[in-house]
Amino acid sequence: MPIRFDQKPGLVVYITAGDPSLDASRAIAIEAIDAGADVIELGIPFSDPLGDGPIIQRASERALSRGVKLADVLEVARAIRAARPQAGLILFTYLNPILRYGLARFADDAKAAGADGVLVIDMVVEESAEYLREMDRTGLAPVFLAAPTSSDERLEAIAGHSRGFVYAISRTGITGKQQSMTADASALVDRIHRWSKLPVAVGFGISNADHVAQVAEFAEAAVIGSAIVELIERSTPETAPGAVARFIKGLRQSSTALAR
Ligand SMILES: O=P(O)(O)OC[C@@H](O)[C@@H](O)c1c[nH]c2ccccc12
């Protein structure tokens, strides 16, 4: 399905595949979609998640300790796609796991599993020619990360090569819950909007309805990762899907009220 954000603000939810189990992460994603998530960022666990804060690093460790492999993540993607054909589904990974798997093989298998696109966290647009060829060949949307520190020429390249949406990180640093949205996020989104008509999703530190309402003022979607992964960490595999669904419903209701 094409990536679309029909409700304002669009909600993008990050979870790590295989955390707390493969089946639970499938159930969590489906409940999140039913609760109002427009796009699921399905994370491929990695042993060296440098861009992640402690909460998501622990999620990767939990999944890896259960022996989760990239092939397992593709099975979770396939199950989510089969259950919710209309949802946006982005595979989220570092470069290393997909190079080990084989870039062309990964693009074919991700497409076959029903992914709409891929975001490679440590892929810099200047060195992405081969990756972009594989995305183009298979029709997968490459989503690039833009940061407040990105230069104008890099932003132009990111905006030009991204498909689906552009991911604007609200601040430099690592993922993790934050007390307030930074003004940098709004300035960055304005810069991206200058070069691209694509929707912009803002992430990093979004953990409550107030943050989501703030982001809705200047961007098309908000990305929530750590706050949801922490909820999963504190739940059991049986209670996690319901806990995540209630959190998302609550965000959707109160941020809409706040945005009035
Ligand atoms: O966790 P936060 O602060 O809510 O931010 C979303 C982020 O976790 C998710 O998009 C993500 C997971 N791993 C990443 C690595 C780099 C950039 C972004 C990510």
Side-chain angles (χ1 to χ4, degrees):
M1 277 298 288
I3 302 289
R4 33 184 314 153
F5 298 111
D6 296 332
Q7 314 168 71
K8 193 157 176 65
L11 283 184
V12 180
V13 164
Y14 170 88
I15 60 169
T16 300
D19 174 45
S21 70
L22 289 169
D23 196 48
S25 55
R26 177 194 55 78
I28 290 165
I30 291 169
E31 288 270 354
I33 292 160
D34 292 352
D38 299 288
V39 174
I40 297 292
E41 287 179 357
L42 187 62
I44 296 169
F46 182 48
S47 54
D48 193 16
L50 291 176
D52 284 299
I55 293 171
I56 293 186
Q57 286 197 9
R58 287 199 299 272
S60 261
E61 283 156 22
R62 285 192 296 272
L64 292 172
S65 70
R66 302 178 59 90
V68 170
K69 300 265 177 294
L70 204 164
D72 301 320
V73 177
L74 294 171
E75 280 318 301
V76 172
R78 190 188 305 276
I80 296 166
R81 175 55 70 219
R84 296 295 181 272
Q86 82 289 356
L89 184 57
I90 298 287
L91 289 173
F92 222 84
T93 182
Y94 288 82
L95 188 52
N96 184 281
I98 61 178
L99 293 182
R100 281 206 309 262
Y101 189 84
L103 190 51
R105 179 181 170 223
F106 171 73
D108 287 326
D109 292 359
K111 184 67 179 175
D116 290 299
V118 181
L119 189 153
V120 183
I121 291 153
D122 47 357
M123 166 73 71
V124 289
V125 64
E126 293 83 354
E127 288 133 41
S128 62
E130 188 193 354
Y131 164 74
L132 286 172
R133 272 196 301 279
E134 289 307 317
M135 294 293 107
D136 191 45
R137 176 178 67 81
T138 51
L140 285 166
V143 179
F144 283 93
L145 275 179
T149 48
S150 299
S151 66
D152 277 357
E153 44 281 337
R154 170 166 285 190
L155 275 195
E156 193 172 3
I158 286 169
H161 289 298
S162 285
R163 298 288 179 271
F165 64 96
V166 178
Y167 188 137
I169 61 173
S170 62
R171 66 180 195 279
T172 49
I174 55 174
T175 63
K177 297 193 302 174
Q178 185 76 355
Q179 294 325 313
S180 68
M181 274 294 108
T182 61
D184 295 356
S186 163
L188 172 59
V189 173
D190 289 348
R191 290 171 68 203
I192 298 169
H193 279 151
R194 242 179 274 149
W195 278 302
S196 168
K197 296 269 171 293
L198 284 176
V200 179
V202 172
F204 274 40
I206 297 175
S207 57
N208 62 44
D210 185 45
H211 294 157
V212 173
Q214 283 178 50
V215 165
E217 304 275 310
F218 57 85
E220 287 68 46
V223 183
I224 303 128
S226 299
I228 285 181
V229 174
E230 189 173 47
L231 210 49
I232 293 168
E233 187 174 50
R234 293 182 173 164
S235 308
T236 66
E238 296 69 32
T239 60
V244 169
R246 282 190 297 280
F247 178 76
I248 293 170
K249 279 188 192 124
L251 271 190
R252 172 73 71 205
Q253 280 148 14
S254 12
S255 58
T256 308
L258 281 167
R260 268 195 204 107

